[in-house]
Amino acid sequence: MTKRLALGALCAAALFAQPAGAAELRILSAGAAKSVVADTIPDFERKSGHKIVIDYSPVGPILKRLADGEQRDIVVLSAEAMSEAAAQGWVATATVTEVGRVGMGVAVKEGAPLPDIATTAAFKKALLAAKTVAYVDPTRGTSGRHFAAVMEKLGIAAEMKPKSKTLPGGFVAELVAKGEAEIAVHQITEILPVKGVTLVGPLPPELQKITIYQAAATTKARDAEAARAFLANLRSAEVRALAAKKGFTEP
């Protein structure tokens, strides 16, 4: 190898090498927090030198993966699920950081008439009038479980069953955008990112569920210092402002 080629190889290696102390952080995150967490990653990676590998999933499967012993450095969960993870010894409780709070809302296809959902009676009427309603599988996600309970409370669970469309996770409002459902009921942070739909508004107050999302380092974290740096970034003013734009309310 000539001196010039050798020098070029050394420069390339230096350019793409990770900084000293850089770590790869493996994260499991609830889907409702994706709109915030995903947008913080590029800037965090650039400033810290750490690399993020992240999976998004409903809360139920995340807990199962932790129970099965899957190694992750950070998890983002609903407060209820985080309490369960702490009780099982899966997370370092001293590191728990609140990401934000989010309510549930209703979406329709962009340009479609907006149903009246201001009161419980109006919301019930809108659901019964809809041809199809999309929501998360109640056995897998927080919002789906709550909406199933709402339908039971309203006494319309049996009537809604034939026209319900459920997904195991992801943005269920995409079914509305594709014309496969007339209404979607989901957490507002998972409605706002979907193109082709309109957020009608939040559920009526007496039917609403505000979910608190938290992040924490796991007890299996391979680099506790890097995990703490990521969690500290979530508390920064920049990320708090981003969370507000994405539909989260302040901790």
Side-chain angles (χ1 to χ4, degrees):
M1 180 181 291
T2 67
K3 289 183 178 180
R4 182 175 295 180
L5 287 174
L7 180 61
L10 287 172
C11 289
L15 179 64
F16 292 106
Q18 286 189 318
E24 180 181 86
L25 289 174
R26 291 164 53 82
I27 302 175
L28 265 177
S29 174
K34 180 178 180 178
S35 59
V36 173
V37 175
D39 282 3
T40 69
I41 289 174
D43 190 55
F44 176 77
E45 289 183 325
R46 180 178 61 81
K47 290 179 178 177
S48 69
H50 301 313
K51 179 176 175 55
I52 303 297
V53 176
I54 188 164
D55 290 340
Y56 299 97
S57 167
V59 166
I62 290 179
L63 291 177
K64 185 178 186 306
R65 289 166 71 172
L66 293 175
D68 290 343
E70 183 170 328
Q71 190 283 321
R72 290 288 163 159
D73 301 295
I74 292 171
V75 290
V76 184
L77 297 166
S78 64
E80 295 93 334
M82 189 66 78
S83 293
E84 182 176 342
Q88 296 293 334
W90 299 331
V91 297
T93 55
T95 68
V96 173
T97 298
E98 187 164 320
V99 176
R101 305 170 184 224
V102 62
M104 290 178 58
V106 175
V108 296
K109 192 174 180 65
E110 190 173 35
L114 303 184
D116 180 6
I117 61 168
T119 65
T120 294
F123 181 52
K124 178 179 179 178
K125 183 178 179 180
L127 291 176
L128 291 173
K131 293 179 181 178
T132 47
V133 178
Y135 53 97
V136 171
D137 182 342
T139 67
R140 295 175 65 86
T142 301
S143 66
R145 186 164 56 253
H146 177 69
F147 182 55
V150 165
M151 290 187 288
E152 290 285 353
K153 180 178 180 178
L154 296 178
I156 60 172
E159 293 171 85
M160 295 301 298
K161 188 173 182 179
K163 53 184 180 179
S164 292
K165 287 198 170 187
T166 62
L167 290 179
F171 294 144
V172 297
E174 289 179 345
L175 294 179
V176 172
K178 296 174 184 176
E180 297 175 16
E182 188 175 332
I183 286 177
V185 180
H186 207 182
Q187 285 159 321
I188 290 172
T189 53
E190 296 189 83
I191 291 175
L192 292 178
V194 179
K195 295 181 179 180
V197 304
T198 298
L199 173 66
V200 180
L203 298 191
E206 58 272 24
L207 302 178
Q208 183 60 271
K209 177 178 177 60
I210 302 297
T211 303
I212 301 170
Y213 283 92
Q214 300 172 328
T218 71
T219 50
K220 290 185 176 182
R222 297 168 299 179
D223 190 322
E225 184 177 346
R228 285 195 298 270
F230 183 84
L231 296 171
N233 185 60
L234 291 179
R235 296 190 293 270
S236 69
E238 294 79 6
V239 174
R240 299 271 36 93
L242 172 66
K245 290 180 182 178
K246 299 292 186 176
F248 279 104
T249 58
E250 282 296 314

Coordinates of all heavy atoms in Angstrom, one line a residue, residues 103-108 113-130 133 147 150 154 182-186 188 191 198-208:
G103 N -53.6 12.5 26.2 CA -55.0 12.0 26.3 C -55.4 11.3 25.0 O -54.6 11.3 24.0
M104 N -56.6 10.8 25.0 CA -57.1 10.1 23.8 C -58.0 11.0 22.9 O -58.6 11.9 23.5 CB -57.8 8.8 24.2 CG -56.9 7.7 24.8 SD -57.8 6.3 25.3 CE -58.6 5.7 23.8
G105 N -57.9 10.7 21.6 CA -58.7 11.6 20.7 C -59.4 10.8 19.6 O -59.2 9.5 19.6
V106 N -60.1 11.5 18.8 CA -60.8 10.9 17.7 C -60.4 11.5 16.4 O -60.1 12.7 16.3 CB -62.4 11.1 17.8 CG1 -63.1 10.6 16.6 CG2 -62.9 10.4 19.1
A107 N -60.2 10.6 15.4 CA -59.7 11.1 14.1 C -60.7 10.7 13.0 O -61.3 9.6 13.1 CB -58.3 10.6 13.8
V108 N -60.8 11.5 12.0 CA -61.6 11.2 10.7 C -60.7 11.5 9.5 O -59.7 12.2 9.7 CB -62.9 11.9 10.7 CG1 -63.9 11.5 11.8 CG2 -62.7 13.4 10.6
P113 N -66.8 15.3 7.2 CA -67.5 16.1 8.2 C -67.0 15.7 9.6 O -66.7 14.5 9.9 CB -68.9 15.7 8.0 CG -69.0 15.2 6.6 CD -67.7 14.5 6.3
L114 N -66.9 16.6 10.5 CA -66.4 16.3 11.9 C -67.6 16.0 12.8 O -68.5 16.8 12.9 CB -65.7 17.6 12.5 CG -64.5 18.1 11.7 CD1 -63.8 19.2 12.4 CD2 -63.5 17.0 11.3
P115 N -67.6 14.8 13.3 CA -68.7 14.4 14.2 C -68.7 15.2 15.5 O -67.6 15.6 15.9 CB -68.5 12.9 14.4 CG -67.0 12.7 14.3 CD -66.6 13.7 13.2
D116 N -69.8 15.3 16.1 CA -69.9 15.9 17.4 C -69.5 14.9 18.5 O -70.1 13.9 18.6 CB -71.3 16.4 17.7 CG -71.5 17.1 19.0 OD1 -70.5 17.3 19.7 OD2 -72.6 17.4 19.4
I117 N -68.4 15.2 19.2 CA -67.9 14.3 20.3 C -67.8 15.1 21.6 O -67.1 14.6 22.5 CB -66.6 13.6 19.9 CG1 -65.5 14.7 19.7 CG2 -66.8 12.8 18.6 CD1 -64.1 14.1 19.6
A118 N -68.4 16.2 21.7 CA -68.2 17.1 22.8 C -68.7 16.6 24.1 O -68.2 16.9 25.2 CB -68.8 18.5 22.5
T119 N -69.8 15.8 24.1 CA -70.4 15.2 25.3 C -70.4 13.7 25.1 O -70.2 13.1 24.1 CB -71.8 15.7 25.5 OG1 -72.6 15.2 24.4 CG2 -71.9 17.2 25.5
T120 N -70.6 13.0 26.3 CA -70.7 11.6 26.2 C -71.8 11.1 25.3 O -71.7 10.1 24.5 CB -71.0 11.0 27.7 OG1 -69.8 11.3 28.4 CG2 -71.2 9.5 27.7
A121 N -73.0 11.8 25.4 CA -74.1 11.4 24.5 C -73.8 11.6 23.1 O -74.1 10.7 22.2 CB -75.4 12.2 24.9
A122 N -73.1 12.7 22.7 CA -72.8 12.9 21.3 C -71.8 11.9 20.8 O -71.8 11.5 19.7 CB -72.3 14.4 21.2
F123 N -70.8 11.6 21.7 CA -69.7 10.7 21.3 C -70.3 9.3 21.0 O -70.0 8.6 20.1 CB -68.7 10.6 22.4 CG -67.5 9.7 22.1 CD1 -66.8 9.8 20.9 CD2 -67.2 8.7 23.0 CE1 -65.8 8.9 20.7 CE2 -66.1 7.8 22.8 CZ -65.4 7.9 21.6
K124 N -71.2 8.9 21.9 CA -71.9 7.6 21.7 C -72.7 7.6 20.4 O -72.6 6.6 19.7 CB -72.9 7.3 22.9 CG -73.7 6.1 22.8 CD -74.6 5.9 24.0 CE -75.4 4.6 23.9 NZ -76.3 4.4 25.1
K125 N -73.4 8.6 20.1 CA -74.1 8.7 18.9 C -73.2 8.7 17.7 O -73.5 8.0 16.7 CB -74.9 10.0 18.9 CG -75.8 10.2 17.6 CD -76.6 11.5 17.7 CE -77.5 11.7 16.5 NZ -78.3 13.0 16.6
A126 N -72.1 9.3 17.7 CA -71.1 9.3 16.6 C -70.5 7.9 16.4 O -70.4 7.5 15.3 CB -70.0 10.3 16.9
L127 N -70.3 7.2 17.5 CA -69.8 5.8 17.4 C -70.8 4.9 16.7 O -70.5 4.1 15.8 CB -69.4 5.3 18.7 CG -68.1 5.9 19.4 CD1 -68.0 5.3 20.8 CD2 -66.9 5.7 18.6
L128 N -72.0 5.0 17.1 CA -73.1 4.2 16.6 C -73.4 4.5 15.1 O -73.8 3.6 14.4 CB -74.4 4.3 17.4 CG -74.3 3.8 18.9 CD1 -75.5 4.1 19.6 CD2 -74.1 2.2 18.8
A129 N -73.2 5.8 14.8 CA -73.4 6.2 13.4 C -72.3 5.8 12.4 O -72.5 5.6 11.2 CB -73.6 7.7 13.3
A130 N -71.1 5.6 13.0 CA -69.9 5.2 12.1 C -70.1 3.8 11.6 O -70.6 2.9 12.2 CB -68.7 5.3 12.9
V133 N -64.9 1.6 13.1 CA -64.1 2.3 14.0 C -62.9 1.5 14.3 O -62.9 0.3 14.5 CB -64.9 2.5 15.4 CG1 -64.0 3.2 16.4 CG2 -66.2 3.2 15.1
F147 N -60.5 2.1 25.5 CA -61.6 2.3 24.6 C -62.6 1.2 24.7 O -63.8 1.4 24.7 CB -61.2 2.5 23.2 CG -62.3 2.8 22.2 CD1 -63.2 3.8 22.5 CD2 -62.5 2.0 21.1 CE1 -64.2 4.1 21.6 CE2 -63.5 2.2 20.3 CZ -64.4 3.3 20.5
V150 N -64.6 1.9 27.6 CA -65.6 3.0 27.4 C -66.8 2.4 26.7 O -67.9 2.8 27.0 CB -64.9 4.1 26.5 CG1 -65.9 5.0 25.9 CG2 -63.9 4.9 27.3
L154 N -70.6 2.6 27.9 CA -71.7 3.2 27.2 C -72.8 2.2 26.8 O -73.8 2.6 26.3 CB -71.1 3.9 25.9 CG -70.2 5.0 26.1 CD1 -69.6 5.5 24.8 CD2 -70.8 6.2 26.8
E182 N -63.8 4.5 9.3 CA -64.4 5.9 9.3 C -63.9 6.7 10.4 O -63.7 8.0 10.2 CB -66.0 5.8 9.3 CG -66.7 7.1 9.1 CD -68.2 6.9 9.1 OE1 -68.6 5.8 8.7 OE2 -68.9 7.8 9.4
I183 N -63.7 6.1 11.6 CA -63.2 6.8 12.8 C -62.1 6.0 13.4 O -62.1 4.8 13.4 CB -64.4 7.0 13.8 CG1 -65.4 8.0 13.3 CG2 -63.9 7.3 15.2 CD1 -66.6 8.2 14.2
A184 N -61.2 6.7 13.9 CA -60.1 6.1 14.7 C -60.1 6.7 16.1 O -60.3 7.9 16.3 CB -58.7 6.3 14.1
V185 N -60.0 5.9 17.1 CA -59.9 6.3 18.5 C -58.5 5.9 19.0 O -58.2 4.7 19.1 CB -61.0 5.7 19.4 CG1 -60.9 6.2 20.9 CG2 -62.4 6.1 18.8
H186 N -57.7 6.9 19.4 CA -56.3 6.5 19.7 C -55.7 7.7 20.5 O -56.4 8.7 20.7 CB -55.4 6.3 18.5 CG -54.3 5.4 18.6 ND1 -53.4 5.2 17.6 CD2 -53.8 4.7 19.7 CE1 -52.5 4.3 18.0 NE2 -52.7 4.0 19.3
I188 N -53.7 10.9 21.2 CA -53.5 12.1 20.4 C -52.1 12.1 19.7 O -52.0 12.5 18.6 CB -53.8 13.4 21.1 CG1 -55.4 13.4 21.4 CG2 -53.4 14.6 20.4 CD1 -55.8 14.5 22.3
I191 N -52.2 10.2 16.6 CA -53.0 10.7 15.6 C -52.4 11.8 14.8 O -52.4 11.8 13.6 CB -54.4 11.2 16.2 CG1 -55.2 10.0 16.7 CG2 -55.2 11.9 15.1 CD1 -56.5 10.4 17.4
T198 N -57.8 14.1 10.2 CA -58.0 15.3 11.0 C -58.3 14.9 12.4 O -59.2 14.0 12.6 CB -59.2 16.1 10.4 OG1 -58.9 16.5 9.1 CG2 -59.4 17.3 11.3
L199 N -57.7 15.5 13.4 CA -58.0 15.3 14.8 C -59.3 16.0 15.1 O -59.3 17.2 15.0 CB -56.9 15.7 15.7 CG -57.1 15.7 17.2 CD1 -57.3 14.3 17.7 CD2 -56.0 16.4 17.9
V200 N -60.4 15.3 15.4 CA -61.6 15.9 15.7 C -61.5 16.6 17.1 O -62.0 17.7 17.3 CB -62.8 14.9 15.7 CG1 -64.1 15.6 16.1 CG2 -62.9 14.2 14.4
G201 N -60.9 15.9 18.0 CA -60.7 16.5 19.4 C -60.5 15.4 20.4 O -60.5 14.2 20.0
P202 N -60.4 15.7 21.6 CA -60.2 14.7 22.7 C -61.5 14.1 23.0 O -62.6 14.6 22.7 CB -59.7 15.5 23.9 CG -60.2 16.9 23.6 CD -60.3 17.1 22.2
L203 N -61.5 12.9 23.7 CA -62.7 12.3 24.2 C -63.3 13.2 25.2 O -62.6 14.0 25.9 CB -62.3 10.9 24.9 CG -61.7 9.8 24.1 CD1 -61.7 8.5 24.9 CD2 -62.4 9.7 22.7
P204 N -64.6 13.1 25.4 CA -65.3 13.9 26.5 C -64.6 13.7 27.8 O -64.1 12.5 28.1 CB -66.7 13.3 26.5 CG -66.9 12.8 25.1 CD -65.6 12.2 24.7
P205 N -64.5 14.7 28.7 CA -63.7 14.6 29.9 C -64.1 13.4 30.8 O -63.2 12.7 31.3 CB -64.1 15.9 30.6 CG -64.5 16.8 29.5 CD -65.1 16.0 28.5
E206 N -65.4 13.0 30.9 CA -65.7 11.9 31.7 C -65.3 10.5 31.2 O -65.4 9.5 31.9 CB -67.2 11.9 32.0 CG -68.1 11.9 30.8 CD -68.4 13.3 30.2 OE1 -67.6 14.2 30.4 OE2 -69.5 13.4 29.5
L207 N -64.9 10.5 29.9 CA -64.5 9.3 29.3 C -63.0 9.3 29.0 O -62.5 8.3 28.5 CB -65.3 9.0 27.9 CG -66.8 9.0 28.0 CD1 -67.4 8.8 26.6 CD2 -67.2 7.8 29.0
Q208 N -62.4 10.4 29.3 CA -61.0 10.5 28.9 C -60.0 9.7 29.8 O -60.4 9.4 30.9 CB -60.6 12.0 29.0 CG -59.2 12.4 28.6 CD -58.9 12.0 27.2 OE1 -58.4 10.9 26.9 NE2 -59.1 13.0 26.2

